[in-house]
């Protein structure tokens, strides 16, 4: 007998499992995706500073800045650098914080995980490297300061909240810069990853019940949850999404105008000769950006290091 188990398989992934294991007419058993005690919400924010400030607010709202506080919080960030920076800022704000990513030593990761599990650190800031096999009952808050690369990743990470059945919050703080972070993390996305990111975007800009959106992605159907931000105040969510879409449209128009102006710019013969001479004098190949900075007379460290000044 063969049994294949997973917490977050979309219909597409389930079909791939059946094919790769050569299962013949297997019985499919799908669990209930409903988590009525979880309050899902999305907030569109402007950059890292804004998201850090909001994270601090959320932690304080949940009483996690006090030594006698009950429960814990998990804060997920998209990169190691962001994890370290955010953990530093949260410590400065008075929280007992651990940070976890794959670049730390085994000993450092073990100590961080132990402190969080034992409760001496109430807040853990981590990349997706943390969480597999973690089943703590009293995680009262899961905050994402970057959007995960797929909706199934988000469902898995946010689902670590409220495993004792008590109310817990899952807040996703999104900025348009997350799309850039995703490209850095996932350089060559598979079709499945591309579909997962599309589903993540639909979730971020969606105006339907969050729990139903997640359940449908996994091929299940749920009634409205009555606890997510959409179910509690649909008008506010619609307004937020429309305002953010308008900001995105304005920025896209600015970029189009800038590109049009750049294409219309005529380079004189004297400038052309200078550029050719500059490139011809390079001792080794460098990137276009470095060449542009060097031509403009930049004194940036990278320009000096490459001796382009």
């Amino acid at each position: 007998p063969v049994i294949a188990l997973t917490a977050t398989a979309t219909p597409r992934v389930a079909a791939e499992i059946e094919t790769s294991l050569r299962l013949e007419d297997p019985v499919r058993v799908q669990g209930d995706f409903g988590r009525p005690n979880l309050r899902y919400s999305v907030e569109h924010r402007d950059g890292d500073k804004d998201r850090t400030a909001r994270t601090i607010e959320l932690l304080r709202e949940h009483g996690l800045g006090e030594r006698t506080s009950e429960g814990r919080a998990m804060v997920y960030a998209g990169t190691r650098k962001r994890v370290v920076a955010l953990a530093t800022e949260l410590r400065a704000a008075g929280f007992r914080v651990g940070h976890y990513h794959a670049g730390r030593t085994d000993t450092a990761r073990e100590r961080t995980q132990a402190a969080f599990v034992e409760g001496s650190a109430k807040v853990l800031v981590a990349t997706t490297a943390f969480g597999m096999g973690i089943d703590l009952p009293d995680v009262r808050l899961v905050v994402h300061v970057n959007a995960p690369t797929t909706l199934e990743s988000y469902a898995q990470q946010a689902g670590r909240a409220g495993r004792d059945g008590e109310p817990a919050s899952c807040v996703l703080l999104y900025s348009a810069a997350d799309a850039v972070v995703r490209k850095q993390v996932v350089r060559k996305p598979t079709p499945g990853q591309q579909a997962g990111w599309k589903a993540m975007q639909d979730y971020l800009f969606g105006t339907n019940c969050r729990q139903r959106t997640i359940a449908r992605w996994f091929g299940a159907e749920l009634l409205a949850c009555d606890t997510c931000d959409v179910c509690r105040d649909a008008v506010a969510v619609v307004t937020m999404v429309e305002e953010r879409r308008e900001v995105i449209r304005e920025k896209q128009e600015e970029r189009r105008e800038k590109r049009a102006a750049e294409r219309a710019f005529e380079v004189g013969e004297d400038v052309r000769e200078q550029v050719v001479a500059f490139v011809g004098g390079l001792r080794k190949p460098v990137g276009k950006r470095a060449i542009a900075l060097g031509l403009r007379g930049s004194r940036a460290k990278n320009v000096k290091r490459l001796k382009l000044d």
Side-chain angles (χ1 to χ4, degrees):
V2 175
I3 184 169
L5 305 171
T6 177
T8 52
T10 62
R12 174 186 181 134
V13 172
E16 287 177 356
I17 291 171
E18 287 184 14
T19 301
S20 61
L21 296 182
R22 299 179 183 177
L23 304 181
E24 296 181 8
D25 193 24
V27 175
R28 279 200 191 188
V29 180
Q30 187 175 64
D32 184 4
F33 280 90
R35 296 289 301 280
N37 63 313
L38 299 188
R39 298 185 295 263
Y40 288 97
S41 62
V42 174
E43 298 180 18
H44 290 261
R45 295 278 167 173
D46 294 314
D48 289 341
K49 285 186 178 180
D50 187 18
R51 290 190 281 192
T52 297
R54 179 56 178 150
T55 301
I56 291 171
E57 283 181 4
L58 289 166
L59 291 172
R60 286 177 176 158
E61 286 172 11
H62 285 74
L64 291 164
E66 304 166 13
R67 290 197 170 274
T68 57
S69 63
E70 296 182 0
R72 303 165 237 243
M74 297 175 70
V75 182
Y76 281 100
T79 64
R80 298 175 186 180
K81 182 179 179 181
R82 184 75 182 110
V83 163
V84 174
L86 184 58
T88 301
E89 291 180 85
L90 294 183
R91 289 190 193 103
F95 296 98
R96 288 178 289 162
V97 180
H99 72 280
Y100 189 107
H101 60 68
R104 302 195 72 191
T105 64
D106 291 344
T107 302
R109 292 202 304 272
E110 288 168 6
R111 285 177 179 171
T112 297
Q113 181 167 321
F116 186 61
V117 171
E118 292 164 4
S120 57
K122 292 289 186 179
V123 181
L124 182 77
V125 184
T127 60
T128 55
F130 180 84
M132 294 302 290
I134 299 300
D135 187 20
L136 298 170
D138 60 345
V139 176
R140 300 270 69 87
L141 174 67
V142 174
V143 180
H144 281 76
V145 296
N146 295 108
T149 56
T150 64
L151 186 57
E152 50 264 43
S153 294
Y154 179 68
Q156 188 179 70
Q157 293 156 22
R160 292 177 182 131
R163 292 194 172 181
D164 55 3
E166 296 298 315
S169 300
C170 306
V171 185
L172 202 166
L173 306 177
Y174 179 70
S175 170
D178 289 353
V180 178
V181 174
R182 174 197 169 250
K183 287 182 179 179
Q184 293 171 346
V185 175
V186 186
R187 295 188 181 278
K188 294 181 179 180
T190 64
Q193 288 171 325
Q194 290 176 325
W197 177 246
K198 172 63 167 58
M200 189 76 253
Q201 290 288 303
D202 292 342
Y203 179 86
L204 292 165
F205 291 91
T207 53
N208 296 313
C209 171
R210 305 290 184 192
Q211 294 231 29
R212 290 185 76 182
T213 300
I214 291 173
R216 284 176 176 173
W217 179 239
F218 292 107
E221 280 293 336
L222 286 179
L223 296 174
C225 69
D226 297 327
T227 56
C228 74
D229 56 350
V230 176
C231 289
R232 283 182 283 129
D233 192 347
V235 174
V237 173
V238 170
T239 301
M240 175 188 69
V241 169
E242 288 179 348
E243 290 176 350
R244 186 54 51 172
R245 286 192 184 282
E246 182 59 31
V247 170
I248 292 172
R249 281 193 291 268
E250 290 175 356
K251 289 183 178 179
Q252 287 175 337
E253 183 58 31
E254 288 176 6
R255 286 195 291 269
R256 279 194 291 269
E257 291 176 356
K258 184 178 179 181
R259 284 196 294 268
E262 288 172 349
R263 285 194 295 269
F265 181 74
E266 291 289 337
V267 177
E269 187 60 35
D270 55 338
V271 174
R272 206 171 281 139
E273 289 176 0
Q274 287 179 357
V275 173
V276 171
F278 187 94
V279 174
L282 293 174
R283 292 183 294 176
K284 61 180 181 179
V286 298
K288 289 184 290 185
R289 178 176 170 76
I291 289 174
L293 289 171
L295 284 163
R296 289 171 57 189
S298 170
R299 307 291 292 175
K301 288 182 180 179
N302 189 46
V303 173
K304 290 182 177 180
R305 183 178 62 80
L306 294 170
K307 301 189 184 304
L308 300 180
D309 56 327

